[in-house]
Amino acid sequence: MPAMPAPVLSPRRKTRKIKVGDVYVGGDAPVSVQSMCTTKTHDVNSTLQQIAELTAAGCDIVRVACPTQDDADALHAIARKSNIPVIADIHFQPKYVFAAIEAGCAAVRVNPGNIKKFDDQVKEIAQAAKDHGTSIRIGVNAGSLDKRLLEKYGKPTPEALVESAVWEASLFEEHGFHDFKISVKHNDPVVMVRAYEMLSERGDWPLHLGVTEAGPAFQGTIKSATAFGALLSQGIGDTIRVSLSAPPVEEVKVGIQILQALNLRPRKLEIVSCPSCGRAQVDVYELAEKVTAGLEGMEVPLRVAVMGCVVNGPGEAREADLGVASGNGKGQIFVKGEVIKTVPEKDIVETLIEEAMKIAETMEPVEGASPEVIAAS
Ligand code: SF4
């Protein structure tokens, strides 16, 4: 019998489907995960190296900065050699928008708030993008909101962010260009969530979610998970970027975990471990860490329960594919709900890893873990 799809909190909102290189965004395409290189774009080798690391971590689409002519000159080589679609991120200088399109970037992110006379150039940008099959992201950001709107609203409120985005969208649409997605980022998850909710009511544009300048890894993860969770659980959001003051691979890992937690991406390895408490009869933290490290990179949907005592241990261990309930210096090992053996505490990690490998061999790798990709013609 085919496996039932995992339940989600609400159906995806209907959005227009666009293409970013060979990855679809919006419509029925899976929510994709993006990140941004921290390398200097003109350092082609370092940038490609980082893109390769991001690709290996599961990143679907990558963005690179383009503040100088040297960076613009490097885009062609990067776009050609990258295994995932490359988006050029353009601020201030409209000439780089055209350079990125001509270089073969999959998409260009434009920030209308800080590109001088941006509105006057939408027609040419739309035409160039259309000619090259390039999509656009209209990236409105609280930190660089159009001065007009800042004066009108006093600060980057949700209404101000949405008004800016809707205005720019209308300009592209006036010129018959529809291959764009929109972001309205703010560093405050509450403002950001409200802005996206409002924006999603105004049109069927695919939306790129982001809490901008979310902070260091711990804070940024919490802010992003909270905001994305609030939106994705309403079906809002077609592609996400977790912004962390941390290596970009961490952003990808967090993004994927958020999608997996919401069943928007099939779960792979899942460690169910208890928080430990005064009843624990084993060092749960160490046990969970060692098991996680030993099973890193596993591509099958294996659920492993690591429990500190017999209160909830046997119950959780039974529900998982594999589990351990610890007590009295021993670990009861469960496979598919049955106790298969009891081992001394020192052998728990090794036994779990051994059994996990045996079960993994009988499982199919997770399918559909990546967004729908257009077949090469
Ligand atoms: S399983 Fe046992 S040790 Fe772990 S939190 Fe529950 S009661 Fe505490």
Side-chain angles (χ1 to χ4, degrees), residues 172-287:
F172 277 99
E173 284 166 351
E174 247 172 48
H175 296 294
F177 188 80
H178 299 275
D179 290 335
F180 61 87
K181 55 191 156 83
I182 307 183
S183 60
V184 280
K185 297 190 182 182
H186 196 291
N187 63 41
D188 181 332
V190 174
V191 178
M192 175 271 193
V193 167
R194 193 69 201 109
Y196 279 98
E197 285 172 343
M198 289 169 62
L199 186 59
S200 74
E201 299 281 311
R202 301 285 301 271
D204 68 347
W205 310 292
L207 301 182
H208 166 98
L209 303 188
V211 177
T212 189
E213 293 105 28
F218 180 72
Q219 178 187 295
T221 299
I222 304 280
K223 277 189 172 186
S224 301
T226 308
F228 295 2
L231 290 165
L232 292 166
S233 64
Q234 300 178 62
I236 299 172
D238 301 287
T239 178
I240 61 171
R241 190 255 171 129
V242 175
S243 300
L244 300 178
S245 306
V249 162
E250 298 306 312
E251 299 184 344
V252 174
K253 288 186 193 166
V254 173
I256 290 173
Q257 285 286 324
I258 292 172
L259 296 182
Q260 288 186 2
L262 291 165
N263 280 343
L264 290 169
R265 218 171 245 231
R267 294 180 189 176
K268 294 187 185 175
L269 174 67
E270 191 178 1
I271 306 287
V272 179
S273 59
C274 81
S276 187
C277 73
R279 289 190 197 92
Q281 296 180 2
V282 69
D283 185 339
V284 179
Y285 302 164
E286 193 188 339
L287 199 56

Side-chain angles (χ1 to χ4, degrees), residues 297-316:
M298 202 162 246
E299 294 292 314
V300 291
L302 185 75
R303 192 174 154 100
V304 183
V306 179
M307 306 296 288
C309 78
V310 291
V311 171
N312 291 325
E316 287 288 1

Side-chain angles (χ1 to χ4, degrees), residues 37 63 66 72 80 125 166 177 200 244 247 253 266 276 284 288 292 296 300 303 306 311 324 345 370:
C37 284
R63 190 153 44 108
C66 185
R80 200 165 47 87
I125 293 173
V166 171
F177 188 80
S200 74
L244 300 178
K253 288 186 193 166
S276 187
V284 179
T292 306
E296 204 190 336
V300 291
R303 192 174 154 100
V306 179
V311 171
V324 61
E345 193 178 316
S370 296

